[in-house]
Amino acid sequence: MSYQDRTISCVDCGADFVFTASEQEFYAKKGFVNDPKRCSTCRGAKKSRIGGQGGGPRQMFPAVCAACGIETQLPFEPRTGRPVYCSDCFVQNRDG
């Protein structure tokens, strides 16, 4: 398929930006069906607001490893009744 540069208006700031042919080809290869809605500046600002790339440190939650009993930190909040593991025990359980 042949792609051509297209001008799109940003839904946040209203500025026009170019959706290049190479970007369109990239979107198609990734299976994206919608055009971008925001210019690169507004897209970056939105990622910062919602904790996307460069949005700051990840929230960690304390837990006790179900296998070895040490205290550890997890990138998700553990659910009651479900075992959680420290990094070392997780790798051992996954591989073994």
Side-chain angles (χ1 to χ4, degrees):
M1 181 170 193
S2 176
Y3 299 100
Q4 294 181 353
D5 290 357
R6 289 187 290 142
T7 301
I8 300 174
S9 292
C10 176
V11 296
D12 288 346
C13 70
D16 288 342
F17 65 96
V18 177
F19 186 31
T20 67
S22 61
E23 289 171 326
Q24 292 171 50
E25 186 175 0
F26 173 79
Y27 271 50
K29 285 181 182 177
K30 291 290 186 180
F32 301 149
V33 294
N34 297 321
D35 290 349
K37 294 180 179 182
R38 293 174 179 84
C39 65
S40 62
T41 302
C42 291
R43 192 168 46 245
K46 182 179 180 196
K47 281 183 182 179
S48 293
R49 285 192 308 270
I50 63 171
Q53 297 172 351
R58 182 180 226 181
Q59 182 179 4
M60 300 296 280
F61 298 89
V64 176
C65 177
C68 70
I70 68 165
E71 291 189 20
T72 187
Q73 296 284 314
L74 304 170
F76 59 89
E77 189 168 13
R79 293 189 217 162
T80 305
R82 306 247 356 225
V84 293
Y85 303 100
C86 66
S87 298
D88 293 335
C89 291
F90 176 79
V91 170
Q92 288 174 359
N93 285 329
R94 181 187 65 195
D95 294 340

